[in-house]
Amino acid sequence: LYSLYSWPNVFLCFIGGYLIDRVFGIRLGAFLFGVVVTVGQLVFALGAYIDSKAVMYAGRFIFGLGGENLAVAANTYVVSWFAGKEINMVFGINLSASRMGSTVGMVSLSPIYEALSNKFHGTHLMGMVLTIGAMMCVLSLVCSVFLAYFDIRASRILQKEANETGETVKLSDITRFSGATWLIFAICVTYYVAIFPFISLGKLFFEQKFGLSQAEAGVCNSLVYFVGAVASPVAGAIIDKTGKNVLWLLLAVLITLLAFALLTFTFLHPYFAMVLIAVAYSICASALWPMVSLVVPEYQLGTAYGMMQSIQNLGLAVVSLLAGALLTKFGYFILLLHFMAWLALAVVFILLLWAWDARSTGYLNASPAKRAEMNSDEVQSVLDGDEVRQPLLNDNSIMDLSQSLRASSASQLRARYLRSVEAGALSNSAEFHRSMAERSVNLTQSYQFSTLANRTPLK
């Protein structure tokens, strides 16, 4: 059942991200994928109720069509709303909410099963329990409707549509992703293939090596999620204040390596190592995922996040099979060395990303104040330059602009531009930067003409 969910998402995440960017948009995409998830869970519950494995397989496959794509839409929403502000903290909160949801789901299933056992029996009982679980999917669908409403309202108030570049994503755009983007993808897969497969196999390890009971081993194995749910928003808030995402990322992977070394070579109580992994995992997620928005233009974000999750799912699917084979043949010692090798490779990719960033602009590892200064300097260099010359506007154009920009100020217009640059400052594309800069000049000049029109009514 898990394979029916995970393997299709090796490809579907990228396709879903592309559809969000090119066809549906975030609002419709989030709603449609929410519908797919809800339908899939209901079909899965129906299969359990009527004792049909085929129906259960179909439901699980349908659920997989929407599950990861819904996460891609959520990530794109986060960047759309919070780019340049509290984005690291919001990604941390998003991670925390998802982990708490998973934990609550696992903890609550047994009590619900026991409570319904007096009224239902056998497969009917399991079907009803899964149907109650499907109600959470319905709640998610309702949330997507409210979120679309709020996004439409925000777009109207902030005039987001007026600031769009008009560029559309193409499948060939993935070949033009910057080197930094692919390094971020590589860091993502090399880190997570060490974490999730270990957690899936870790309970028996704690019992065999450290002599923990089944209950103690279960608690120890779940510490990554419990502690991560609390630590992720805190880590995100700290990274928002300090910036330097690459430095935090390196620190997180090194802490994880230390924790795995403690588990492999010492008999120190595993709770300590698992808390270290949980904290490092929270720092990594809060620093890593927002960086995509710093190296990819906004109109490509869905595609980029889809590609990132596709690569992650591919790595998890392959490494999970490999980990099972290593455990069967060699035992846990070799398995943990295998995971440490992946973490060491993640360190190499982080150092390459650091070198790439230092050689180009230093934006990824800059402080928030330095990033704001770099954005401001980029705008000013264009405003003061002689490269862009706009034709004079006629009286009708002046009046049209006066109406459309009446509520805007020069600082607001520039702020809109900076928000757009924040999403794509390091796309490594001269054409992208030039188009954004020209649009900033257009908006500033338009404001000047609109002010003139308001001062001197046209006859």
Side-chain angles (χ1 to χ4, degrees):
L1 289 175
Y2 182 77
S3 297
L4 283 171
Y5 175 88
S6 60
W7 278 104
N9 279 297
V10 170
F11 311 101
L12 292 175
C13 286
F14 168 68
I15 296 173
Y18 175 78
L19 290 175
I20 289 172
D21 282 337
R22 177 79 180 192
V23 181
F24 299 141
I26 309 177
R27 302 161 192 158
L28 181 59
F31 175 77
L32 290 178
F33 291 132
V35 170
V36 172
V37 166
T38 303
V39 171
Q41 183 63 23
L42 289 172
V43 172
F44 184 65
L46 175 63
Y49 190 86
I50 64 176
D51 194 19
S52 172
K53 287 185 178 180
V55 175
M56 292 182 71
Y57 289 154
R60 191 62 177 167
F61 179 76
I62 295 171
F63 186 91
L65 293 177
E68 294 294 306
N69 287 320
L70 192 58
V72 172
N75 289 338
T76 310
Y77 256 132
V78 168
V79 175
S80 176
W81 277 66
F82 296 99
K85 299 182 281 294
E86 306 89 358
I87 185 170
N88 298 285
M89 184 182 69
V90 175
F91 264 101
I93 293 173
N94 189 35
L95 173 67
S96 176
S98 66
R99 294 309 171 207
M100 283 192 291
S102 299
T103 303
V104 170
M106 290 186 291
V107 171
S108 61
L109 279 179
S110 293
I112 293 174
Y113 187 90
E114 294 295 331
L116 295 178
S117 60
N118 294 328
K119 296 182 179 180
F120 302 94
H121 304 281
T123 58
H124 288 185
L125 174 59
M126 181 58 68
M128 292 306 299
V129 172
L130 293 174
T131 301
I132 292 175
M135 295 303 101
M136 298 305 296
C137 298
V138 175
L139 179 60
S140 174
L141 182 60
V142 172
C143 289
S144 72
V145 174
F146 279 104
L147 189 55
Y149 165 76
F150 289 129
D151 194 57
I152 292 172
R153 183 172 180 270
S155 296
R156 184 176 66 251
I157 295 173
L158 300 177
Q159 300 181 22
K160 286 186 177 181
E161 284 80 2
N163 292 332
E164 292 180 355
T165 63
E167 296 172 280
T168 56
V169 68
K170 301 182 290 293
L171 285 175
S172 59
D173 285 347
I174 63 171
T175 63
R176 292 193 290 271
F177 283 162
S178 67
T181 306
W182 290 105
L183 284 172
I184 290 172
F185 295 168
I187 295 166
C188 175
V189 67
T190 51
Y191 183 79
Y192 284 110
V193 297
I195 301 299
F196 292 134
F198 171 71
I199 293 175
S200 67
L201 300 170
K203 187 176 178 181
L204 186 60
F205 168 71
F206 297 130
E207 295 176 18
Q208 290 181 355
K209 178 173 181 177
F210 298 97
L212 301 185
S213 66
Q214 287 188 355
E216 290 173 330
V219 172
C220 187
N221 205 40
S222 62
L223 280 175
V224 172
Y225 295 146
F226 282 116
V227 176
V230 177
S232 295
V234 177
I238 294 173
I239 296 170
D240 278 325
K241 294 293 184 182
T242 62
K244 301 186 180 300
N245 289 56
V246 183
L247 176 62
W248 282 106
L249 197 57
L250 178 62
L251 178 63
V253 178
L254 291 177
I255 292 174
T256 309
L257 257 175
L258 172 63
F260 271 88
L262 292 175
L263 291 172
T264 306
F265 302 111
T266 75
F267 284 88
L268 185 68
H269 200 290
Y271 279 17
F272 178 71
M274 293 305 290
V275 169
L276 283 180
I277 292 176
V279 173
Y281 170 75
S282 302
I283 295 173
C284 179
S286 298
L288 177 66
W289 290 88
M291 279 202 295
V292 175
S293 68
L294 302 180
V295 297
V296 174
E298 187 172 357
Y299 72 94
Q300 295 176 345
L301 279 175
T303 303
Y305 277 118
M307 175 63 74
M308 189 172 180
Q309 292 199 204
S310 289
I311 294 173
Q312 181 190 17
N313 287 330
L314 176 61
L316 288 172
V318 173
V319 172
S320 294
L321 294 176
L322 179 59
L326 288 174
L327 178 60
T328 302
K329 188 171 183 178
F330 300 106
Y332 275 105
F333 182 77
I334 298 298
L335 179 64
L336 265 67
L337 290 179
H338 166 75
F339 291 144
M340 292 177 67
W342 282 111
L343 291 171
L345 186 57
V347 171
V348 172
F349 286 133
I350 293 172
L351 294 177
L352 289 174
L353 179 63
W354 195 325
W356 183 94
D357 184 52
R359 189 185 62 183
S360 54
T361 62
Y363 195 86
L364 290 178
N365 219 25
S367 66
K370 182 63 176 178
R371 288 174 183 170
E373 180 184 342
M374 293 167 70
N375 290 337
S376 180
D377 289 344
E378 184 171 355
V379 177
Q380 194 62 47
S381 65
V382 176
L383 293 176
D384 293 341
D386 297 326
E387 300 165 338
V388 182
R389 296 298 185 205
Q390 302 299 327
L392 293 175
L393 304 180
N394 58 37
D395 290 347
N396 291 333
S397 300
I398 296 174
M399 185 57 70
D400 291 341
L401 288 167
S402 174
Q403 297 296 324
S404 63
L405 301 172
R406 182 174 295 170
S408 300
S409 66
S411 61
Q412 288 171 326
L413 293 170
R414 180 171 291 185
R416 291 182 200 165
Y417 165 75
L418 293 178
R419 285 195 297 270
S420 298
V421 170
E422 188 78 9
L426 288 182
S427 67
N428 214 25
S429 167
E431 180 180 352
F432 173 72
H433 283 291
R434 185 162 51 252
S435 66
M436 297 295 291
E438 290 176 358
R439 191 156 53 85
S440 175
V441 174
N442 290 342
L443 288 171
T444 304
Q445 291 183 346
S446 299
Y447 168 74
Q448 294 169 349
F449 279 112
S450 67
T451 303
L452 176 63
N454 287 333
R455 263 192 222 157
T456 309
L458 300 174
K459 300 292 184 182

